[in-house]
Amino acid sequence: MRLALPRGLRSRTVVAFLLVAALSALITAALTFRQARSAILDRTQNSAVHDLRLQVDSLVPNLPPDPTPTDLRTFARQLDRASGSRGWHTAVSRDGGPPIGTADEISGALRAATKRGDTTFYERVAPSGDPRLLIGMPVTYTSRGDGAGQPSGLVVYAVLSLHGERADISALITAAWAGALPTLAFAVVPALFAVRRVLRPVRQLRTAAQKITSGALDTRLDVVGKDELAALTSTFNTMAATLERDDAELRRMEANARRFAADVSHELRTPLAAMAAVTDALDEDARSGTLPPDTADAVLLISDETRKLAVMVEDLMEISRFDAGSAVLHLDDVSLRTLIHKTLQLRGWREPDEVIAELPEDDPRIRVDARRIDVVLANLIGNALRHGTAPVTVRATSAQEAVVIEVADHGPGIPDDVLPRVFDRFYKADAARTRSEGSGLGLAIATENVRLHHGTLTAANLPDGGAVFTVTLPHRPTPEDPS
């Protein structure tokens, strides 16, 4: 089972603050406990050795020079009675012999240590969880003349219980925990205060970034202080000012480009209309044979280029209306079958030689701008006939909320590197076909018309070859927001 780690910066900062406080309290408590424990045990040990030394020194003169085991046992009993509140148990060993008395837990290490010198030795043991202090004290005879000590060959061993000291240490542990828990609880208050102070500029930066994302590029923050967060705020203000300046410049350039395209298209429309009328008249003369062959070919070429230029101008004007947001929908309830068949009839596309229409039998009615959907279908079917292999399949299906129209051909399909850019303006897949019939705006205009209906237009390749364009139109679009 994995623990869920906090994800928010506030939560992680508070948790880190508490972990540091807990670690500090734990280290302080551990060091304090260690020093107090050592102090308690050392005090008990020194006091016990001192008291035992006093009792031994007071009772040793009563021993005979050559004490018998009975004398040693009596000496040990006297020491036991003199223990008072300490309650030690003693035993006496002579010349390395077995200890005589009530102390029966003397370790071999302690006995070996007392044989090697006249210094008092001690050892702390805890057999079966019962802490005890073991003392080994060599006994010396004091001469009456100079007061110097002479080895007696006697060693007094004492065993003291440390239950009282263990209780004191347990009380220290309880007191340490009792002090650490409130410390952690009170640590939450400065942690929250510190987090609030640190995160306030971060929240302000986040709010300002959201405003800039929504388009409010004039958003700025007040720089308070001289720390790293103040430097970050100053950098943010500089970035916002740069973005606002660049955005204004880009908008100005974009508006100029749109206005230029619209103005040029508008200015070219009238002379192109006149040129088209003249070239139509010249076309009749060229085809009737009244003009010389060379002149007729030139007239037909000029006429064809004039028509292409007129189409491009119309497409540019349509694109400029989309860019300006002035394109609107004129919605009407129309039959899906009628809409598709009318597009085929107006272009003279024959069924089933050039186009195969697979339409739903219930013939649903959809609310669309018939003129704009006709432009979309005409562009998709025309491209399929031009770049694919006839017949082109137009398949329509109706769902509960939308109508889906697929236009598929049997051509080579769309190259993978071209597919992401197929709807870009003026983009042509074949760089060598720079003088093709299209203006490079047909699919872009189709996309904008579908978007006006709050629908989608996508392109893909079929698994068995050929390209397919899919138009998805809602039954009831909302034309209030044409963008």
Side-chain angles (χ1 to χ4, degrees):
M1 180 178 179
R2 297 180 61 184
L3 296 177
L5 298 177
R7 296 184 178 181
L9 184 58
R10 173 191 293 271
S11 302
R12 284 184 292 172
T13 305
V14 171
V15 170
F17 197 98
L18 292 180
L19 287 177
V20 171
L23 183 61
S24 301
L26 181 61
I27 293 175
T28 302
L31 293 176
T32 303
F33 165 74
R34 182 178 179 181
Q35 294 294 330
R37 179 178 180 272
S38 298
I40 291 174
L41 294 178
D42 290 344
R43 182 190 62 191
T44 301
Q45 173 183 296
N46 295 334
S47 177
V49 170
H50 178 266
D51 293 345
L52 181 62
R53 173 64 66 184
L54 290 178
Q55 297 300 325
V56 169
D57 290 344
S58 64
L59 295 176
V60 161
N62 298 327
L63 285 176
D66 187 16
T68 64
T70 302
D71 295 330
L72 296 179
R73 186 173 290 106
T74 302
F75 179 56
R77 283 198 298 267
Q78 291 175 343
L79 289 176
D80 290 344
R81 287 195 296 268
S83 64
S85 61
R86 296 195 179 278
W88 61 49
H89 295 275
T90 59
V92 183
S93 173
R94 182 183 179 186
D95 298 329
I100 300 174
T102 57
D104 56 357
E105 299 177 0
I106 308 303
S107 66
L110 183 62
R111 295 183 60 187
T114 56
K115 290 181 181 179
R116 294 194 296 268
D118 57 356
T119 305
T120 300
F121 295 91
Y122 58 87
E123 182 182 7
R124 288 193 290 266
V125 296
S128 303
D130 184 14
R132 296 182 181 183
L133 175 63
L134 308 182
I135 301 174
M137 180 180 296
V139 179
T140 58
Y141 292 137
T142 302
S143 300
R144 295 183 179 179
D146 54 5
Q150 298 178 358
S152 64
L154 301 178
V155 178
V156 175
Y157 298 101
V159 179
L160 290 82
S161 176
L162 296 177
H163 280 292
E165 286 72 16
R166 185 173 66 175
D168 293 340
I169 294 173
S170 299
L172 281 177
I173 297 176
T174 303
W177 279 111
L181 294 179
T183 301
L184 290 179
F186 284 119
V188 175
V189 177
L192 292 176
F193 178 77
V195 168
R196 180 182 179 186
R197 187 176 182 86
V198 171
L199 292 186
R200 182 184 300 170
V202 177
R203 288 196 300 268
Q204 292 175 348
L205 284 171
R206 182 187 64 183
T207 303
Q210 291 174 346
K211 290 181 179 179
I212 289 181
T213 302
S214 63
L217 298 181
D218 58 343
T219 302
R220 300 292 186 274
L221 294 174
D222 296 332
V223 180
V224 179
K226 297 182 179 179
D227 54 8
E228 289 80 0
L229 290 174
L232 177 61
T233 304
S234 178
T235 304
F236 175 86
N237 290 337
T238 303
M239 179 197 69
T242 303
L243 284 176
E244 185 178 18
R245 183 175 61 254
D246 293 345
D247 178 74
E249 180 66 17
L250 288 174
R251 289 179 182 273
R252 185 188 64 80
M253 296 173 60
E254 184 180 9
N256 290 340
R258 290 177 178 177
R259 185 165 54 252
F260 174 78
D263 292 344
V264 169
S265 301
H266 181 75
E267 294 298 328
L268 289 177
R269 192 176 190 182
T270 301
L272 281 175
M275 292 172 62
V278 174
T279 54
D280 288 342
L282 292 175
D283 282 348
E284 295 179 2
D285 294 338
R287 292 189 178 94
S288 64
T290 58
L291 297 176
D294 293 341
T295 304
D297 292 340
V299 167
L300 292 176
L301 178 60
I302 292 174
S303 177
D304 184 58
E305 294 297 326
T306 301
R307 282 192 294 270
K308 290 180 181 179
L309 186 58
V311 171
M312 178 175 289
V313 169
E314 291 296 330
D315 289 346
L316 285 173
M317 292 188 66
E318 185 71 7
I319 284 291
S320 66
R321 283 190 286 269
F322 286 124
D323 291 340
S326 59
V328 295
L329 291 177
H330 299 285
L331 298 177
D332 194 9
D333 288 331
V334 297
S335 164
L336 179 60
R337 184 184 299 272
T338 301
L339 181 65
I340 295 177
H341 280 301
K342 186 175 180 180
T343 299
L344 301 180
Q345 292 171 2
L346 289 175
R347 276 75 182 179
W349 292 324
R350 300 182 307 276
E351 297 183 77
D353 297 333
E354 294 179 297
V355 179
I356 299 175
E358 299 179 1
L359 307 178
E361 296 180 357
D362 55 352
D363 190 17
R365 299 186 68 81
I366 57 176
R367 188 169 180 81
V368 294
D369 187 328
R371 182 188 69 82
R372 295 186 180 278
I373 299 303
D374 173 74
V375 171
V376 174
L377 295 177
N379 181 273
L380 298 180
I381 298 173
N383 284 343
L385 289 172
R386 189 178 305 114
H387 304 299
T389 303
V392 173
T393 302
V394 179
R395 183 180 297 106
T397 57
S398 178
Q400 183 177 0
E401 298 180 355
V403 172
V404 179
I405 304 174
E406 295 180 350
V407 178
D409 61 49
H410 300 85
I414 305 173
D416 293 337
D417 59 332
V418 174
L419 201 57
R421 302 185 58 190
V422 73
F423 296 107
D424 292 352
R425 298 177 183 182
F426 298 106
Y427 183 76
K428 296 181 180 180
D430 189 355
R433 294 172 55 253
T434 57
R435 294 299 301 159
S436 61
E437 293 183 20
S439 62
L441 295 173
L443 288 177
I445 293 175
T447 302
E448 296 294 341
N449 279 320
V450 173
R451 189 177 300 158
L452 277 179
H453 289 79
H454 297 277
T456 59
L457 174 58
T458 59
N461 288 317
L462 295 172
D464 53 353
V468 57
F469 287 82
T470 304
V471 180
T472 304
L473 298 171
H475 284 289
R476 289 289 184 269
T478 53
E480 288 77 7
D481 183 11
S483 61

